[in-house]
Amino acid sequence: LNQVHRRDAVDRQVELRDSEERLRLALEAAHVATWDWDVRSGALRWSEGADRVFGAPGGGAPGTAEAYLALVHEEDRPAAAGAVQSPLESGSQRYTVRHRVIDREGAVRWIEAYGRVVRDERGRAVRTRGAALDVTDRQAIEAQREELIRELEAKNAELEQFTYTVSHDLKSPLVTIKGFLGLIEK
Protein backbone atom coordinates (compact mmCIF):
# COMPACT_ATOMS: atom_id res chain seq x y z
CA LEU A 1 0.00 0.00 0.00
CA ASN A 2 2.87 2.38 0.84
CA GLN A 3 4.44 1.68 -2.52
CA VAL A 4 1.15 2.55 -4.30
CA HIS A 5 0.91 5.83 -2.37
CA ARG A 6 4.53 6.65 -3.22
CA ARG A 7 3.91 5.91 -6.91
CA ASP A 8 0.77 8.10 -6.85
CA ALA A 9 2.73 10.90 -5.16
CA VAL A 10 5.51 10.63 -7.77
CA ASP A 11 2.93 10.63 -10.58
CA ARG A 12 1.30 13.75 -9.12
CA GLN A 13 4.68 15.47 -8.85
CA VAL A 14 5.47 14.65 -12.49
CA GLU A 15 2.04 15.95 -13.56
CA LEU A 16 2.56 19.11 -11.50
CA ARG A 17 6.01 19.74 -13.06
CA ASP A 18 4.56 19.18 -16.55
CA SER A 19 1.69 21.55 -15.81
CA GLU A 20 4.08 24.20 -14.47
CA GLU A 21 6.26 23.88 -17.58
CA ARG A 22 3.24 24.32 -19.87
CA LEU A 23 2.21 27.39 -17.88
CA ARG A 24 5.74 28.86 -18.13
CA LEU A 25 5.75 28.32 -21.90
CA ALA A 26 2.31 29.92 -22.29
CA LEU A 27 3.29 32.94 -20.19
CA GLU A 28 6.51 33.40 -22.12
CA ALA A 29 4.83 33.07 -25.52
CA ALA A 30 2.10 35.54 -24.59
CA HIS A 31 4.52 38.04 -22.94
CA VAL A 32 2.58 37.74 -19.70
CA ALA A 33 3.78 37.69 -16.12
CA THR A 34 1.76 36.79 -13.06
CA TRP A 35 2.11 38.27 -9.60
CA ASP A 36 1.07 37.58 -6.07
CA TRP A 37 1.19 40.58 -3.72
CA ASP A 38 0.80 40.04 0.02
CA VAL A 39 -0.90 43.29 1.01
CA ARG A 40 -0.06 42.89 4.71
CA SER A 41 3.68 42.23 4.35
CA GLY A 42 4.14 44.16 1.12
CA ALA A 43 6.01 41.24 -0.50
CA LEU A 44 5.50 40.93 -4.23
CA ARG A 45 6.29 37.68 -6.05
CA TRP A 46 6.43 37.41 -9.83
CA SER A 47 6.32 34.47 -12.16
CA GLU A 48 9.49 33.45 -13.90
CA GLY A 49 10.33 35.78 -16.79
CA ALA A 50 8.48 38.78 -15.39
CA ASP A 51 11.54 40.95 -15.93
CA ARG A 52 11.21 40.31 -19.68
CA VAL A 53 7.62 41.56 -19.68
CA PHE A 54 8.37 44.98 -18.28
CA GLY A 55 12.13 45.23 -18.71
CA ALA A 56 12.97 45.72 -15.06
CA PRO A 57 16.20 47.62 -14.42
CA GLY A 58 19.04 45.25 -13.64
CA GLY A 59 16.99 42.32 -14.91
CA GLY A 60 15.22 41.63 -11.62
CA ALA A 61 11.52 41.79 -10.93
CA PRO A 62 10.66 44.24 -8.12
CA GLY A 63 9.98 42.60 -4.76
CA THR A 64 7.52 45.18 -3.43
CA ALA A 65 4.60 47.16 -4.80
CA GLU A 66 6.55 50.37 -4.14
CA ALA A 67 9.51 49.09 -6.19
CA TYR A 68 7.18 48.22 -9.05
CA LEU A 69 5.45 51.59 -8.81
CA ALA A 70 8.88 53.23 -9.13
CA LEU A 71 9.14 51.63 -12.60
CA VAL A 72 5.81 53.13 -13.68
CA HIS A 73 6.07 56.25 -15.83
CA GLU A 74 5.82 59.32 -13.62
CA GLU A 75 2.70 60.62 -15.41
CA ASP A 76 0.90 57.27 -14.99
CA ARG A 77 1.90 56.63 -11.37
CA PRO A 78 -1.10 58.28 -9.65
CA ALA A 79 -3.64 56.52 -11.89
CA ALA A 80 -1.86 53.15 -11.57
CA ALA A 81 -1.66 53.43 -7.78
CA GLY A 82 -5.30 54.52 -7.61
CA ALA A 83 -6.46 51.65 -9.82
CA VAL A 84 -4.94 49.18 -7.35
CA GLN A 85 -5.82 51.04 -4.13
CA SER A 86 -9.47 51.64 -5.01
CA PRO A 87 -10.58 47.98 -5.05
CA LEU A 88 -8.56 47.29 -1.90
CA GLU A 89 -10.59 49.94 -0.06
CA SER A 90 -13.95 49.63 -1.82
CA GLY A 91 -14.49 45.91 -1.60
CA SER A 92 -14.28 45.35 -5.35
CA GLN A 93 -12.86 42.06 -6.50
CA ARG A 94 -11.18 42.89 -9.80
CA TYR A 95 -9.33 45.73 -11.44
CA THR A 96 -7.61 46.56 -14.71
CA VAL A 97 -5.02 49.22 -15.33
CA ARG A 98 -2.94 50.23 -18.36
CA HIS A 99 0.21 52.24 -17.79
CA ARG A 100 3.69 52.85 -19.08
CA VAL A 101 6.93 51.61 -17.56
CA ILE A 102 10.46 52.64 -18.43
CA ASP A 103 12.56 49.58 -19.22
CA ARG A 104 16.24 49.08 -18.44
CA GLU A 105 17.25 50.70 -21.77
CA GLY A 106 15.07 53.72 -21.06
CA ALA A 107 12.41 52.77 -23.62
CA VAL A 108 8.71 53.12 -22.85
CA ARG A 109 6.65 49.95 -22.60
CA TRP A 110 2.90 49.73 -22.11
CA ILE A 111 1.64 47.25 -19.53
CA GLU A 112 -1.94 46.15 -19.00
CA ALA A 113 -2.54 44.53 -15.63
CA TYR A 114 -5.54 42.46 -14.55
CA GLY A 115 -5.81 41.92 -10.82
CA ARG A 116 -8.05 40.14 -8.37
CA VAL A 117 -8.27 41.00 -4.69
CA VAL A 118 -8.28 38.11 -2.22
CA ARG A 119 -10.02 38.85 1.07
CA ASP A 120 -10.02 37.16 4.46
CA GLU A 121 -13.15 35.97 6.27
CA ARG A 122 -13.75 39.52 7.56
CA GLY A 123 -13.63 40.96 4.05
CA ARG A 124 -10.23 42.64 4.45
CA ALA A 125 -7.89 42.61 1.47
CA VAL A 126 -4.98 40.29 2.20
CA ARG A 127 -3.45 39.85 -1.26
CA THR A 128 -3.89 40.54 -4.92
CA ARG A 129 -3.07 38.18 -7.71
CA GLY A 130 -3.03 38.93 -11.33
CA ALA A 131 -1.34 39.06 -14.69
CA ALA A 132 0.63 41.79 -16.42
CA LEU A 133 0.70 41.84 -20.20
CA ASP A 134 3.12 43.80 -22.41
CA VAL A 135 0.77 45.66 -24.79
CA THR A 136 3.40 47.97 -26.29
CA ASP A 137 2.76 46.73 -29.83
CA ARG A 138 -1.01 46.98 -29.39
CA GLN A 139 -0.66 50.53 -28.03
CA ALA A 140 1.48 51.53 -31.04
CA ILE A 141 -1.09 50.07 -33.44
CA GLU A 142 -3.93 51.87 -31.62
CA ALA A 143 -2.00 55.16 -31.80
CA GLN A 144 -1.40 54.58 -35.52
CA ARG A 145 -5.08 53.84 -36.04
CA GLU A 146 -6.06 57.04 -34.22
CA GLU A 147 -3.65 59.04 -36.38
CA LEU A 148 -5.11 57.48 -39.54
CA ILE A 149 -8.62 58.32 -38.34
CA ARG A 150 -7.59 61.96 -37.76
CA GLU A 151 -6.03 62.09 -41.24
CA LEU A 152 -9.15 60.56 -42.79
CA GLU A 153 -11.39 63.07 -40.99
CA ALA A 154 -9.19 65.91 -42.28
CA LYS A 155 -9.37 64.52 -45.84
CA ASN A 156 -13.14 64.19 -45.55
CA ALA A 157 -13.40 67.81 -44.42
CA GLU A 158 -11.27 68.87 -47.40
CA LEU A 159 -13.45 66.81 -49.73
CA GLU A 160 -16.63 68.37 -48.30
CA GLN A 161 -15.16 71.86 -48.81
CA PHE A 162 -14.12 70.96 -52.37
CA THR A 163 -17.58 69.56 -53.12
CA TYR A 164 -19.22 72.69 -51.75
CA THR A 165 -16.94 74.92 -53.82
CA VAL A 166 -17.49 72.92 -57.01
CA SER A 167 -21.23 72.85 -56.41
CA HIS A 168 -21.28 76.59 -55.87
CA ASP A 169 -19.08 77.23 -58.92
CA LEU A 170 -21.35 75.09 -61.10
CA LYS A 171 -24.51 76.83 -59.92
CA SER A 172 -23.44 80.23 -61.31
CA PRO A 173 -23.19 79.10 -64.97
CA LEU A 174 -26.40 77.10 -64.60
CA VAL A 175 -28.26 80.18 -63.35
CA THR A 176 -26.90 82.14 -66.32
CA ILE A 177 -27.85 79.37 -68.75
CA LYS A 178 -31.30 79.14 -67.18
CA GLY A 179 -31.66 82.91 -67.66
CA PHE A 180 -30.69 82.64 -71.35
CA LEU A 181 -33.11 79.75 -71.79
CA GLY A 182 -35.85 81.92 -70.34
CA LEU A 183 -34.99 84.66 -72.82
CA ILE A 184 -34.93 82.21 -75.73
CA GLU A 185 -38.28 80.81 -74.65
CA LYS A 186 -39.82 84.30 -74.68
Side-chain angles (χ1 to χ4, degrees):
L1 192 61
N2 263 347
Q3 195 173 21
V4 171
H5 285 296
R6 268 190 235 135
R7 199 171 324 130
D8 286 344
V10 168
D11 289 346
R12 283 192 300 269
Q13 287 177 350
V14 167
E15 287 176 25
L16 180 59
R17 278 194 300 273
D18 288 347
S19 177
E20 287 175 347
E21 180 60 23
R22 286 191 303 274
L23 176 60
R24 270 194 292 279
L25 288 169
L27 291 173
E28 186 178 331
H31 302 285
V32 174
T34 60
W35 80 81
D36 187 337
W37 175 38
D38 184 327
V39 175
R40 294 175 290 193
S41 73
L44 179 61
R45 290 183 328 173
W46 291 92
S47 61
E48 185 180 307
D51 58 328
R52 286 189 308 269
V53 171
F54 52 86
T64 64
E66 292 79 21
Y68 181 78
L69 202 55
L71 296 176
V72 175
H73 192 284
E74 171 180 320
E75 293 173 10
D76 297 344
R77 224 172 268 152
V84 174
Q85 196 61 38
S86 178
L88 292 177
E89 295 170 356
S90 71
S92 298
Q93 291 283 63
R94 299 173 188 267
Y95 60 93
T96 302
V97 61
R98 186 183 283 198
H99 59 78
R100 296 168 286 180
V101 295
I102 310 301
D103 72 12
R104 66 176 70 84
E105 282 86 36
V108 173
R109 291 184 188 213
W110 282 91
I111 303 296
E112 193 163 89
Y114 303 91
R116 180 180 302 157
V117 179
V118 178
R119 299 184 183 283
D120 65 12
E121 60 281 344
R122 293 183 185 159
R124 292 179 301 203
V126 294
R127 64 186 340 106
T128 68
R129 293 184 175 130
L133 172 65
D134 182 344
V135 294
T136 304
D137 293 340
R138 183 188 326 163
Q139 189 72 23
I141 289 168
E142 287 175 10
Q144 236 178 359
R145 186 194 70 198
E146 291 301 318
E147 179 60 28
L148 289 172
I149 288 171
R150 280 192 296 279
E151 287 176 18
L152 186 57
E153 287 171 346
K155 298 279 186 203
N156 280 341
E158 286 177 28
L159 186 57
E160 283 178 26
Q161 183 61 39
F162 175 75
T163 304
Y164 175 80
T165 302
V166 168
S167 170
H168 184 269
D169 288 352
L170 288 176
K171 280 183 185 177
S172 290
L174 288 176
V175 169
T176 304
I177 292 170
K178 190 174 179 182
F180 283 132
L181 285 175
L183 284 175
I184 293 172
E185 194 177 90
K186 284 183 184 178

